[in-house]
């Protein structure tokens, strides 16, 4: 009976973690589409994406709680339980960041001039790539630990790219004389908050790199 | 009267259960892969089965070392070994019951003036050295194979967790069986020559006098497992070297294989039939086997995470235990003979 119970728990938690990581990956894509819609001034589509990301984040929260509950109640993976919980929470925080930036667009409605659109899209792309690599590294941590390090390297790469793009964008914003300081600071803060997502993805990847060493056979 | 004298054997059985169950399930419980209750229940059942079904092999070698020919002497020998093991268990060292009983028998030999069979003694002492080394080698090879399989098959973390739990239970069952088969000779082996039991047939199954004695001894081991083994399990599980669950499985597996090799009459017959040299059937130390396996894997990982002070303490107790048991045995024999006027040996 005990083995049947372990088997059921294992299947259950594997599915939940997979679904959770799918949501993490999805939320990056929704974020990308949402920013595109905002920059194209298509507010209806932007709102749809905002609602979608809120739903996704809510669903991920439910899954996170369920995973935590299963891990502790069923005493699964006792030696890595704490590490897994931390990684799941950090990934959930990334989803929360996507939602937060989308709400920032919705609340502040910044007036972003077309000359910055390309830079902003490039920044969003780097951030999404960083989060995607973090998601893949976490997936590999569960499924094929030997692959995890490859994805961790990519997170670091995309985070550096995001930093470069963000710096260039901020320089360009402050070099534009037609803007008032208030507008410059508002867009700068927005750019920083987007860049912060890549920083958080890198922090998660750094922790993951240590946990990979801990689990290495 | 025999049952009263047998009480010291029961005490030794209890000490063995308290101490050696940790070798079988300590790594699993210590690494939190198995609950203590599950581990204790499985250990009890399979120790009894191992002792009754396959306990005879190793007891012959112990009999050769010194045939304790009076029940009073057998009482003291078992009591001295039990006291040594109990005191070491109190100090949380996974001590060897085999060494304790050998020390106590030599104490009886010295007291009674009986010659110690040097060939049998050498055979036993050699296994004390060979056992941890063999266990370490088996652990290293097994660990390499297991990790290769895991990496090749790209096993999911939760699937690996599930497989490791099942592996720990199966290796623990095998270990408990081997422990009962190999170590029951330590517990009641000295009582064999003075046992009053007769042949017995229950529901069509025949039980020899030795098997009845082994059954009683293994029940005492089970009580030791249930009542006192949890403490030593913590030392074995986390004390020497922090074990991952996969390592825990390999440690129990290597330990069980070593115990089985030194206890199996079937394997001995198989090797004899093939014309190959046989492995001596000797009660080896389950503690030495598990410590050897854990240290072996620690060395494979570079050795820097091994707590050498703990290993030194354990290895030191392997030297002191037989001497300690020998001295206690000699003193107690003197007291029982001269104060309580009991016969402790027949000239």
């Amino acid at each position: 009976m005990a083995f049947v119970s372990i088997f059921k728990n294992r299947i259950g938690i594997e599915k939940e973690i997979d679904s959770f990581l799918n949501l993490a990956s999805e939320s990056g894509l929704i974020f990308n589409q949402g920013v595109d819609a905002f920059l194209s001034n298509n507010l209806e589509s932007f709102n749809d994406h905002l609602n979608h990301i809120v739903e996704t984040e809510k669903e991920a929260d439910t899954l996170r709680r369920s995973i935590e509950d299963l891990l502790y109640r069923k005493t699964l993976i006792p030696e890595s339980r704490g590490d897994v919980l931390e990684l799941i929470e950090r990934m959930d925080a990334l989803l929360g960041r996507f939602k937060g930036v989308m709400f920032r667009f919705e609340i502040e409605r910044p007036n972003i001039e077309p000359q910055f659109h390309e830079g902003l899209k490039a920044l969003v792309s780097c951030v999404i790539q960083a989060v995607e690599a973090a998601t893949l590294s976490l997936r590999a941590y569960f499924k094929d630990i030997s692959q995890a390090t490859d994805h961790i390297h990519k997170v670091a790469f995309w985070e550096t790219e995001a930093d470069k793009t963000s710096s260039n964008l901020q320089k360009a914003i402050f070099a534009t004389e037609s803007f008032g300081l208030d507008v410059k600071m508002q867009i700068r803060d927005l750019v920083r908050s987007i860049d912060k997502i890549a920083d958080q993805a890198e922090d998660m990847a750094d922790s993951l790199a240590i946990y990979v060493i801990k689990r290495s056979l | 009267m025999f049952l009263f004298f047998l009480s010291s054997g029961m005490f030794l059985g209890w000490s063995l259960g308290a101490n050696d169950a940790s070798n079988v399930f300590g790594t699993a419980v210590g690494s939190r892969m198995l609950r203590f209750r599950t581990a204790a229940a499985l250990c009890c059942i399979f120790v009894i089965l191992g002792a009754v079904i396959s306990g005879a092999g190793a007891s012959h070698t112990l009999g050769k070392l010194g045939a304790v020919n009076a029940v009073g002497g057998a009482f003291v020998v078992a009591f001295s070994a039990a006291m040594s093991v109990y005191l070491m268990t109190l100090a949380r060292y996974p001590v060897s019951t085999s060494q304790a009983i050998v020390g106590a028998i030599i104490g009886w030999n010295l007291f009674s003036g009986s010659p110690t069979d040097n060939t049998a003694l050498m055979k036993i002492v050699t296994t004390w050295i060979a056992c941890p080394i063999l266990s370490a080698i088996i652990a290293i090879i097994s660990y390499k194979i297991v990790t290769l399989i895991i990496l090749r098959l790209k096993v999911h973390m939760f699937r690996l967790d599930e497989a490791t739990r099942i592996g720990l239970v199966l290796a623990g069952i095998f270990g408990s069986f081997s422990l009962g088969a190999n170590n029951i000779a330590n517990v009641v082996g000295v009582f064999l020559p003075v046992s009053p039991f007769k042949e017995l047939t229950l529901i069509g199954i025949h039980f020899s006098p030795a098997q009845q004695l082994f059954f009683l001894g293994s029940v005492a081991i089970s009580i030791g497992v249930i009542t006192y083994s949890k403490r030593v399990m913590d030392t074995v599980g986390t004390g020497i070297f922090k074990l991952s669950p996969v390592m825990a499985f390999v440690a129990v597996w290597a330990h069980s294989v070593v115990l089985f090799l030194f206890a199996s009459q079937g394997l001995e017959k198989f090797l004899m039939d093939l014309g190959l040299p046989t492995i001596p059937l000797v009660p080896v130390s389950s503690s030495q086997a598990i410590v050897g396996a854990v240290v072996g894997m620690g060395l494979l990982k570079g050795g820097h995470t091994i707590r050498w002070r703990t290993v030194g303490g354990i290895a030191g107790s392997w030297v002191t235990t037989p001497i300690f048991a020998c001295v206690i045995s000699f003193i107690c024999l003197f007291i029982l003979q001269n104060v309580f006027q009991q016969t402790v040996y027949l000239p």
Side-chain angles (χ1 to χ4, degrees), chain B residues 12-323:
Chain B
L12 180 59
W14 177 84
S15 300
L16 189 141
N19 197 301
D20 286 10
S22 61
N23 302 331
V24 181
F25 280 110
T27 48
V29 174
S31 59
R32 288 174 293 163
M33 292 296 278
L34 265 188
R35 285 197 195 104
F36 172 73
R37 268 191 301 178
T38 315
L42 289 171
C43 190
C44 293
I45 294 167
F46 286 92
V47 158
I48 293 174
L49 287 175
V52 176
I53 296 168
S54 196
S59 59
H60 294 313
T61 309
L62 211 57
K64 279 186 208 156
L65 183 67
V68 182
N69 55 13
V71 73
F75 169 80
V76 170
V77 167
F79 175 78
S80 313
M83 271 314 281
S84 313
V85 174
Y86 174 66
L87 292 174
M88 291 293 184
T89 306
L90 268 187
R92 296 192 180 210
Y93 283 119
V95 69
S96 161
T97 322
S98 313
Q99 290 178 322
I101 197 78
V102 167
I105 290 174
I106 292 171
W108 181 85
N109 283 351
L110 292 174
F111 186 81
S112 63
S114 309
T116 301
D117 183 339
N118 283 329
T119 316
L121 182 63
M122 274 311 289
K123 201 175 174 185
I124 292 170
V125 173
T126 312
T127 62
W128 291 351
I129 299 159
C131 169
I133 297 171
L134 187 63
S135 184
I137 294 168
I138 293 174
I140 289 170
I141 296 168
S142 306
Y143 186 69
K144 280 274 176 198
I145 295 170
V146 168
T147 50
L148 200 71
I149 293 170
I150 293 168
L151 291 174
R152 275 279 162 88
L153 296 180
K154 295 178 178 165
V155 185
H156 193 290
M157 181 193 257
F158 290 95
R159 241 167 267 186
L160 182 62
D161 179 67
E162 181 186 48
T164 312
R165 277 170 208 260
I166 294 169
L168 278 168
V169 169
L170 296 178
I173 285 171
F174 176 36
S176 303
F177 187 90
S178 302
L179 178 71
N182 189 290
N183 276 202
I184 192 66
N186 299 336
V187 176
V188 287
V190 287
F191 293 94
L192 273 178
V194 290
S195 165
F197 291 118
K198 302 273 183 298
E199 303 283 336
L200 179 72
T201 304
L202 272 179
I203 42 171
I205 305 167
H206 175 258
F207 293 97
S208 68
Q211 281 178 317
Q212 294 166 50
L213 199 57
F214 290 164
F215 175 75
L216 284 178
S218 55
V219 168
I221 295 174
S222 302
I223 295 168
V225 172
I226 295 163
T227 54
Y228 215 73
S229 65
K230 202 168 187 296
R231 281 159 49 100
V232 189
M233 284 196 187
D234 292 336
T235 306
V236 172
T238 56
I240 301 169
F241 168 71
K242 183 108 177 61
L243 290 170
S244 70
V246 174
M247 285 179 158
F249 158 71
V250 173
V252 181
W253 161 252
H255 150 277
S256 309
V257 169
V258 169
L259 252 69
F260 181 76
L261 289 177
F262 286 104
S264 173
Q265 286 172 306
L267 182 70
E268 186 186 42
K269 193 177 170 303
F270 177 71
L271 291 172
M272 264 158 66
D273 290 347
L274 290 176
L276 294 169
T278 57
I279 296 164
L281 301 185
V282 176
V284 292
S285 165
S286 144
S287 316
Q288 288 176 335
I290 201 81
V291 171
V294 174
V295 171
M297 279 185 292
L299 288 173
L300 189 65
K301 288 275 170 187
H304 46 271
T305 43
I306 297 176
R307 294 188 190 103
W308 288 109
R309 185 176 286 207
T310 312
V311 177
I314 294 169
S317 73
W318 292 346
V319 178
T320 51
T321 307
I323 300 168

Side-chain angles (χ1 to χ4, degrees), chain A residues 12-32:
Chain A
I13 199 152
E14 266 182 49
K15 273 188 182 167
E16 290 198 348
I17 287 179
D18 264 346
S19 307
F20 178 81
L21 293 174
N22 289 345
L23 291 177
S25 201
E26 230 178 270
S27 59
L29 300 174
I30 302 166
F31 178 72
N32 190 25

Side-chain angles (χ1 to χ4, degrees), chain A residues 173-190:
Chain A
I173 290 163
F174 279 94
T176 310
E177 287 177 359
S178 56
F179 288 168
L181 186 62
D182 54 341
V183 175
K184 286 176 181 175
M185 288 176 77
Q186 185 195 24
I187 303 175
R188 180 202 62 188
D189 286 351
L190 184 69

